[in-house]
Amino acid sequence: MIKINELVPSASMELTRMAKVIKDEGRKVYTLSIGDTHFSLPRSISSKLHSLPEISSHYGPAQGVFELRKAMAERYTGYEPDDVVIVPGLKQGFFYALEAIEKKRVAVLEPSWLGYKATCTLAGCDYIPVNTYLPNWKKTLKDIDFDVLMLCSPNNPDGGILSKNEILDLREIIASKNAWVFVDIIYERYAYGRTNLLTRLNPLLDYTKILIGNGFSKSHAMTGYRVGYLMIKDQNVRTNILLIQQNLATCASSHAQHLLTLCPDPEEISYFSEYYEGNREAVLKIFPEWSKFTPKGGFYFFVDLTIYGITDASEFCAKALMNDGIAMVPGSAYGTGFDNYVRVSFSLDRSELKEALNKLKNVIKTYYA
């Protein structure tokens, strides 16, 4: 049963709502809070909008359009189109998966995307946080009892990418418990420094109980289209996922799937990643003291505000928004023990980003120096 009283509003979406209220009052707002790109739909995709088959406005197969599943399977070693399920966003996909395997103890590497906890609540699972900023976090993980491990790489909110050794250690731990591992790689296309994330994940890809979640929201600037996909070889679990999808959503958007089938890998993807890598460097020019928090992927800095003597990030974010029109997400949204952190998104137009950061720098200098 869903414990509705345990659900809370998404912190990033709530801050975005508050920012809109302020903006509607005629005040300038700098949105450094939401996990969305500032790019429009890639031209190579939007140009296909008038080329869609008539069938795209009707129900599609619950598992997803075959051509799109085939295109996605080809990106992963050892996967076939039948191993792919197209879902209406990864939030829904992970919910399906937790329900499908009927496991109830979920360990999550924190700091983590706030949606994981909500998904566990919706699925009636026990959420077990593991703070990866503590030196003994792998021992902690090894010592606890769990059925599923959820992880994200590149990670939201700090842009961390698991090292090869960490991946090998995690495989050993989950195998010793015969546990499932859900690997969220939605920021895969934003892995900087020529990191090939799929190659790095190879030690996990042949693990029997693995589910990979990816999608098009971030990479293709299509957050509003709500199309993600799950990669899973276990036929029984995949069948259960399809049963749930058939009865809850019928299928992911046929329109979006056929559009992506016409252009699954647009040339703009590389430009998007290069642009945000440039934004990352622009952040460091204004805040060189943030170099220790430099993300390896994604488009967020997760900053420990104690470098400025600030211990309450929630209060800091509230004041910055109400007094100065700067929207950021406090670290408490991403797990226990991160009250002094703040997530700052750099997925903005660069000139807007620089303006926002210079204003933020002035706020810190004026009130917290």
Side-chain angles (χ1 to χ4, degrees):
M1 179 181 292
I2 294 174
K3 300 175 181 177
I4 195 69
N5 61 316
E6 293 184 12
L7 287 176
V8 296
S10 163
S12 57
M13 296 299 289
E14 180 65 13
L15 279 163
T16 301
R17 184 196 66 78
M18 292 170 61
K20 184 179 184 304
V21 171
I22 295 173
K23 190 178 293 185
D24 289 345
E25 294 174 352
R27 295 169 55 193
K28 173 73 174 179
V29 175
Y30 301 94
T31 306
L32 304 177
S33 55
I34 197 166
D36 197 354
T37 73
H38 80 289
F39 297 112
S40 299
L41 187 66
R43 178 66 182 166
S44 54
I45 293 180
S46 62
S47 63
K48 304 290 194 301
L49 283 169
H50 298 294
S51 305
L52 292 173
E54 187 175 336
I55 195 174
S56 69
S57 64
H58 297 278
Y59 291 132
Q63 189 163 353
V65 173
F66 175 81
E67 291 79 7
L68 183 58
R69 290 191 285 115
K70 181 175 183 292
M72 294 305 100
E74 289 173 352
R75 299 192 63 233
Y76 301 81
T77 303
Y79 282 82
E80 301 294 334
D82 282 350
D83 300 325
V84 183
V85 181
I86 309 296
V87 293
L90 278 189
K91 285 182 181 179
Q92 204 150 325
F94 285 137
F95 170 73
Y96 293 165
L98 287 175
E99 290 286 358
I101 64 175
E102 299 181 329
K103 300 296 185 181
K104 296 304 177 186
R105 294 180 58 81
V106 182
V108 179
L109 301 186
E110 290 189 343
S112 66
W113 175 53
L114 47 86
Y116 298 144
K117 188 170 186 178
T119 302
C120 288
T121 299
L122 286 167
C125 297
D126 293 332
Y127 179 91
I128 308 169
V130 178
N131 187 338
T132 60
Y133 284 16
L134 298 178
N136 61 343
W137 69 268
K138 282 185 279 189
K139 182 180 185 305
T140 299
L141 182 66
K142 190 174 182 178
D143 290 344
I144 62 177
D145 181 28
F146 63 88
D147 306 303
V148 181
L149 173 65
M150 295 186 77
L151 58 89
C152 183
S153 185
N155 190 41
N156 175 8
D158 62 5
I161 294 178
L162 291 169
S163 69
K164 292 179 181 179
N165 286 338
E166 286 173 330
I167 289 172
L168 290 171
D169 289 343
L170 288 174
R171 178 184 169 122
E172 182 179 339
I173 293 170
I174 58 177
S176 70
K177 298 175 182 293
N178 195 30
W180 278 87
V181 59
F182 291 3
V183 184
D184 181 349
I185 55 172
I186 194 68
Y187 293 95
E188 171 230 339
R189 301 291 190 127
Y190 295 99
Y192 305 126
R194 298 183 179 179
T195 301
N196 187 318
L197 192 71
L198 298 185
T199 299
R200 182 168 292 190
L201 286 173
N202 274 340
L204 275 179
L205 292 181
D206 63 350
Y207 179 67
T208 305
K209 292 186 172 182
I210 184 173
L211 179 142
I212 299 171
N214 205 342
F216 308 93
S217 292
K218 317 296 183 181
S219 57
H220 293 55
M222 295 179 70
T223 52
Y225 279 79
R226 309 309 304 140
V227 185
Y229 60 92
L230 304 178
M231 310 282 297
I232 182 167
K233 286 184 170 294
D234 188 301
Q235 185 175 349
N236 291 331
V237 174
R238 192 168 62 245
T239 297
N240 289 342
I241 288 173
L242 288 174
L243 281 172
I244 297 169
Q245 169 132 300
Q246 288 169 9
N247 285 280
L248 283 184
T250 304
C251 61
S253 165
S254 291
H255 177 92
Q257 289 187 71
H258 282 284
L259 187 59
L260 284 161
T261 297
L262 294 175
C263 190
D265 199 15
E267 59 187 17
E268 290 92 339
I269 285 179
S270 295
Y271 170 74
F272 291 171
S273 179
E274 290 168 4
Y275 189 91
Y276 285 157
E277 189 167 10
N279 273 9
R280 183 183 67 164
E281 300 312 307
V283 173
L284 291 172
K285 285 184 179 179
I286 296 172
F287 286 102
E289 65 269 30
W290 290 7
S291 61
K292 66 180 73 174
F293 312 116
T294 302
K296 296 177 181 177
F299 36 74
Y300 316 104
F301 274 80
F302 198 53
V303 180
D304 182 354
L305 293 174
T306 58
I307 62 174
Y308 304 114
I310 302 169
T311 57
D312 188 341
S314 293
E315 181 182 1
F316 170 79
C317 288
K319 287 182 177 179
L321 177 59
M322 300 309 297
N323 298 337
D324 304 284
I326 305 171
M328 300 167 288
V329 186
S332 57
Y334 303 101
T336 303
F338 305 103
D339 292 352
N340 48 304
Y341 283 81
V342 63
R343 191 190 77 170
V344 179
S345 173
F346 53 88
S347 58
L348 284 76
D349 175 82
R350 193 163 299 155
S351 60
E352 177 87 354
L353 175 65
K354 289 180 178 179
E355 186 178 336
L357 293 174
N358 280 316
K359 184 163 188 176
L360 177 60
K361 192 176 187 72
N362 187 57
V363 168
I364 293 172
K365 185 183 298 184
T366 302
Y367 298 105
Y368 300 98

